[in-house]
Amino acid sequence: MIDLYTFTTPNGRKVSIALEELGLPYNVHVVDITKGDQFKPEFLAINPNNKIPAIVDPQGPGGKPFSVFESGAILLYLAEKTGKLLPKDPRARTEAIQWLMFQMSGVGPMLGQLNHFKRFAKEQIPYAIERYSQESARILGVLDKHLAQHEFLAPEYSVADIATYPWLVGTGQYYPEMLQPVPNVRRWLDTVGARPAVQRGMKVPESR
């Protein structure tokens, strides 16, 4: 069974959704980042960058235990391990990877900074809020334009959708007004959110 080290964040949700979609058995280890669990030596031995999520696969390459950190790398590792959630066709496969990278470099960082400066920063900084609000709206527009012509981010449901979904669910929860101008994103959220594996993965670790 794969050991999943996670917490209740969008990045953590990515991996639990993928594991549920793939039907891989896994144990959940809660790393409570609000209490500093990510700095404990036993976790740093798995992820020296002290961030969740991380996994340890006891049956890694060569049949030996293998640890992986960074959510995008974990998604690609699990997809390669199982032959699922990445298209086989080279063009479609690259499309899935490029949208995964778009999430990693754009969706997550920009929405994350927006959330930080609007909800958690000790001081309200108008410039930062405006900057990240505008960039987040631009990114949502990019997604909406693409999803107007496609059911999923890649030609088929893939790791790209899994990576992006938890972040946009949070956006809809805390900033519903940002989703009003992007109807295709809202349609996609409904489609992905209706998948049973997604619903189960979104409940981890609370349900464990």
Side-chain angles (χ1 to χ4, degrees):
M1 293 183 60
I2 290 174
D3 288 300
L4 168 62
Y5 296 82
T6 190
F7 196 57
T8 57
T9 70
N11 285 336
R13 303 275 190 241
K14 297 176 189 178
V15 180
S16 52
I17 290 172
L19 289 166
E20 291 289 344
E21 289 281 12
L22 294 168
L24 292 172
Y26 63 103
N27 295 311
V28 175
H29 303 270
V30 177
V31 180
D32 191 336
I33 61 177
T34 68
K35 297 179 179 179
D37 288 355
Q38 70 272 30
F39 299 108
K40 292 181 177 180
E42 55 268 33
F43 183 68
L44 290 174
I46 298 167
N47 182 0
N49 193 36
N50 60 265
K51 303 290 184 182
I52 64 95
I55 65 167
V56 176
D57 182 0
Q59 294 295 320
K64 298 179 180 180
F66 187 57
S67 61
V68 187
F69 64 89
E70 289 295 325
S71 58
I74 296 171
L75 292 180
L76 289 174
Y77 173 78
L78 294 174
E80 296 284 359
K81 178 182 176 72
T82 60
K84 300 176 181 178
L85 296 178
L86 268 179
K88 300 296 188 295
D89 175 77
R91 288 179 179 269
R93 184 184 185 87
T94 300
E95 286 187 53
I97 293 173
Q98 76 178 0
W99 285 105
L100 173 63
M101 295 301 109
F102 181 75
Q103 189 285 313
M104 300 296 297
S105 64
V107 175
M110 294 303 105
L111 290 174
Q113 292 294 336
L114 173 63
N115 197 44
H116 171 77
F117 283 107
K118 289 194 75 169
R119 296 182 61 226
F120 298 109
K122 294 180 180 179
E123 176 187 354
Q124 290 287 290
I125 304 174
Y127 170 77
I129 293 173
E130 181 180 6
R131 170 179 168 79
Y132 290 114
S133 294
Q134 290 179 351
E135 182 61 9
S136 295
R138 186 192 71 80
I139 285 172
L140 287 171
V142 172
L143 290 168
D144 195 67
K145 184 176 180 180
H146 178 72
L147 289 168
Q149 304 295 327
H150 302 84
E151 182 179 11
F152 299 111
L153 292 176
E156 62 190 63
Y157 180 73
S158 72
V159 292
D161 301 287
I162 291 172
T164 307
Y165 177 80
W167 279 97
L168 297 195
V169 165
T171 299
Q173 179 181 355
Y174 294 111
Y175 315 110
E177 70 281 359
M178 294 189 68
L179 296 185
Q180 290 307 308
V182 287
N184 301 300
V185 170
R186 298 200 307 272
R187 184 273 307 162
W188 171 86
L189 280 169
D190 289 340
T191 299
V192 175
R195 297 176 69 90
V198 173
Q199 295 172 7
R200 293 193 300 270
M202 287 293 291
K203 295 177 182 177
V204 177
E206 290 98 334
S207 61
R208 301 286 172 147

